[in-house]
């Protein structure tokens, strides 16, 4: 008995094709689906999951059970899984998050002290930015009002037509 690695029919695929079709249709970039594309994508997905699971197993020291942490460590440490890093992040404990936030705050305080700007300089910059924003907002609102009046003038019915 020989086993084939390429599917000859959809029975060799263990993912439900209807679910694969739904996921594929949910992508806004997909306009139409060919009948042959769904089993091919399902099979490719199965192979990808097998390869990922094997790598996780190998990197975890071949434990009898794999956990989320093992998967997250593999995804975060291997560049070829970079597209999954946002989907499978490492789990952090609350204490670790607090330490990270504290370090970030210290770094931002140190960087602002090192720039040598006084409070007066910062206030001047923020005042300039806010006045520039007001100018741009007023010019855009005047453009919008002129567009509205122009469209209103063109959409009025002509009373001389009978």
């Amino acid at each position: 008995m020989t086993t084939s690695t390429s599917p000859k029919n959809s029975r060799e695929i263990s993912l439900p094709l209807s679910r694969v079709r739904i996921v594929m249709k949910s992508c806004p970039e997909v306009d139409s689906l060919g009948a042959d594309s769904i089993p091919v994508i399902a099979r490719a997905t199965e192979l990808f999951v097998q390869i990922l699971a094997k790598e996780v197993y190998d990197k975890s020291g071949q434990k009898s059970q794999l956990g989320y942490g093992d998967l997250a460590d593999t995804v975060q440490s291997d560049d070829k899984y970079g597209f999954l890093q946002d989907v499978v992040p490492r789990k952090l404990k609350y204490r670790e998050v607090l330490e990270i936030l504290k370090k970030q705050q210290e770094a931002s305080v140190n960087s602002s002290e090192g720039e040598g700007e006084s409070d007066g300089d910062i206030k001047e910059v923020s005042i300039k930015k806010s006045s520039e924003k007001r100018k741009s907002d007023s010019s855009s609102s005047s453009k919008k009002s002129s567009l509205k009046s122009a469209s209103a003038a063109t959409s009025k019915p002509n009373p001389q037509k009978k």
Side-chain angles (χ1 to χ4, degrees):
M1 180 175 174
T2 62
T3 59
S4 171
T5 57
S6 64
K8 298 207 190 300
N9 59 29
S10 62
R11 291 183 199 163
E12 294 179 20
I13 299 171
S14 60
L15 290 175
L17 297 180
S18 61
R19 297 284 177 123
V20 173
R21 176 181 286 123
I22 290 170
V23 170
M24 289 175 67
K25 284 185 175 181
S26 70
C27 181
E29 298 168 357
V30 176
D31 293 331
S32 62
L33 299 173
D36 295 338
S37 65
I38 296 168
V40 171
I41 295 295
R43 183 64 180 153
T45 303
E46 288 178 357
L47 292 174
F48 171 75
V49 170
Q50 285 176 0
I51 291 169
L52 179 61
K54 185 176 180 339
E55 285 191 33
V56 170
Y57 179 73
D58 291 342
K59 285 187 179 183
S60 70
Q62 299 181 348
K63 296 186 213 175
S64 61
Q65 290 184 347
L66 299 176
Y68 178 85
D70 300 320
L71 176 64
D73 289 341
T74 301
V75 167
Q76 298 296 324
S77 66
D78 201 338
D79 288 339
K80 69 181 170 187
Y81 298 121
F83 67 98
L84 289 174
Q85 288 179 350
D86 292 337
V87 179
V88 186
R90 277 197 178 106
K91 285 189 175 180
L92 296 175
K93 294 181 181 176
Y94 183 70
R95 179 178 62 242
E96 295 170 336
V97 172
L98 288 177
E99 290 174 5
I100 292 170
L101 291 174
K102 185 178 177 183
K103 288 178 183 178
Q104 288 177 347
Q105 288 175 347
E106 289 173 357
S108 67
V109 168
N110 290 339
S111 66
S112 66
E113 288 176 358
E115 292 174 4
E117 293 182 350
S118 67
D119 289 339
D121 293 339
I122 294 171
K123 288 178 184 174
E124 286 179 13
V125 170
S126 64
I127 291 170
K128 286 179 184 177
K129 287 182 180 179
S130 64
S131 66
E132 290 172 0
K133 182 173 171 48
R134 274 187 255 126
K135 287 179 186 176
S136 68
D137 289 345
S138 65
S139 66
S140 66
S141 65
S142 65
K143 287 178 185 176
K144 288 178 185 176
S145 63
S146 64
L147 286 174
K148 284 181 183 178
S149 62
S151 65
T154 57
S155 65
K156 290 181 181 176
N158 190 350
Q160 294 177 353
K161 276 189 176 180
K162 288 188 180 180

